[in-house]
């Protein structure tokens, strides 16, 4: 039987795709940013490159207004030139071995992003695999936290979201998330 790459959670479809998140046409895409919100390498760099200077301009205004973005929190800006109307910037934890609150902080990054999307009445949002690149979070552990957090949110919160997509860049990450979703859907 085909392994699940999507499940329905109440009215919302939760699915996995392999690809480049900057090409997604969901209402919002989520950026795995850092606290400075200045754009860097990885998915953060790709989003700023594809979206153009309007995103960085708004990020600067946010930091001027409220300071650096703490780990586990999220803010929203324009999507600039992207197909997505908005970018939700969140900061995942740096992996220090798992004993420094990393799972809770990673869960918070997903939850706060979903809350923002719901507050803005968005119907669709795409996530990358937060923290599993430069920040070194082991992918299998991160996948379990990510999927479980989204699933729990969709089960328990009232939300406008009809579609949540994980856009995984490489085949190994995609496969790891697929196995984690399969486990979770059992
Ligand atoms: N689309 C989807 N996923 C992508 C893309 C893309 N275009 N580019 C990279 N990725 C994937 C990576 O392969 C990895 O699986 O995103 C995942 C997260 O990796 P990082 O971008 O390194 O994010 P993270 O581990 O959270 O580290 C954040 O890196 O880019 C900097 O400014 C960012 O300092 C921050 C840190």
């Amino acid at each position: 039987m085909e392994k699940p790459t999507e499940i329905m959670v109440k009215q919302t479809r939760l699915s996995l795709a392999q690809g480049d998140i900057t090409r997604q046409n969901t209402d919002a895409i989520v950026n795995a940013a850092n606290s400075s919100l200045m754009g860097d390498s990885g998915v953060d760099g790709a989003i700023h490159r594809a979206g153009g200077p309007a995103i960085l301009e708004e990020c600067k205004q946010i930091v001027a207004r409220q300071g650096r973005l703490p780990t586990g929190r999220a803010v929203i800006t324009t999507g600039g030139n992207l197909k997505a109307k908005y970018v939700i910037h969140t900061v995942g934890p740096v992996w220090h071995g798992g004993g420094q609150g990393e799972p809770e902080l990673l869960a918070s990054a997903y939850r706060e992003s979903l809350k923002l999307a719901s507050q803005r009445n968005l119907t669709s949002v795409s996530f990358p695999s937060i923290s599993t690149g430069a920040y070194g979070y082991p992918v299998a552990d991160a996948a379990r936290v990510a999927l479980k957090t989204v699933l729990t949110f969709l089960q328990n919160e009232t939300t406008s979201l009809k579609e949540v997509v994980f856009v995984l860049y490489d085949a190994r990450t995609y496969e790891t998330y697929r196995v984690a979703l399969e486990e979770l859907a059992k």
Side-chain angles (χ1 to χ4, degrees), residues 19-22 32-34 39-46 128-136 167-170 173:
D20 178 351
I21 200 167
T22 65
N34 63 51
D40 198 348
S41 48
V43 71
D44 193 8
S129 178
I130 299 167
S131 282
T132 65
Y135 281 0
V167 181
L168 294 331
Y169 204 47
D170 60 280
T173 302

Side-chain angles (χ1 to χ4, degrees), residues 6-15 118 123 150-164:
E6 61 174 65
I7 57 172
M8 285 301 296
V9 190
K10 299 198 325 197
Q11 310 297 316
T12 310
R13 188 161 64 133
L14 167 59
S15 63
S118 299
T123 59
V150 173
L151 193 70
T152 303
F153 181 92
L154 296 177
Q155 280 166 341
N156 296 324
E157 306 294 328
T158 307
T159 179
S160 50
L161 289 167
K162 299 281 174 249
E163 180 145 34
V164 177

Side-chain angles (χ1 to χ4, degrees), residues 96-143:
H96 291 294
Q100 296 192 30
E102 292 94 332
E104 293 77 11
L105 289 166
L106 185 61
S108 174
Y110 283 99
R111 217 164 29 237
E112 293 298 311
S113 300
L114 290 166
K115 272 194 216 165
L116 258 184
S118 299
Q119 280 162 10
R120 293 295 182 105
N121 250 332
L122 307 187
T123 59
S124 55
V125 64
S126 300
F127 282 98
S129 178
I130 299 167
S131 282
T132 65
Y135 281 0
Y137 207 120
V139 181
D141 295 329

Side-chain angles (χ1 to χ4, degrees), residues 19-39:
D20 178 351
I21 200 167
T22 65
R23 304 170 73 90
Q24 283 292 109
N25 62 2
T26 45
D27 291 342
I29 63 172
V30 175
N31 181 18
N34 63 51
S35 293
S36 77
L37 294 181
M38 287 303 115

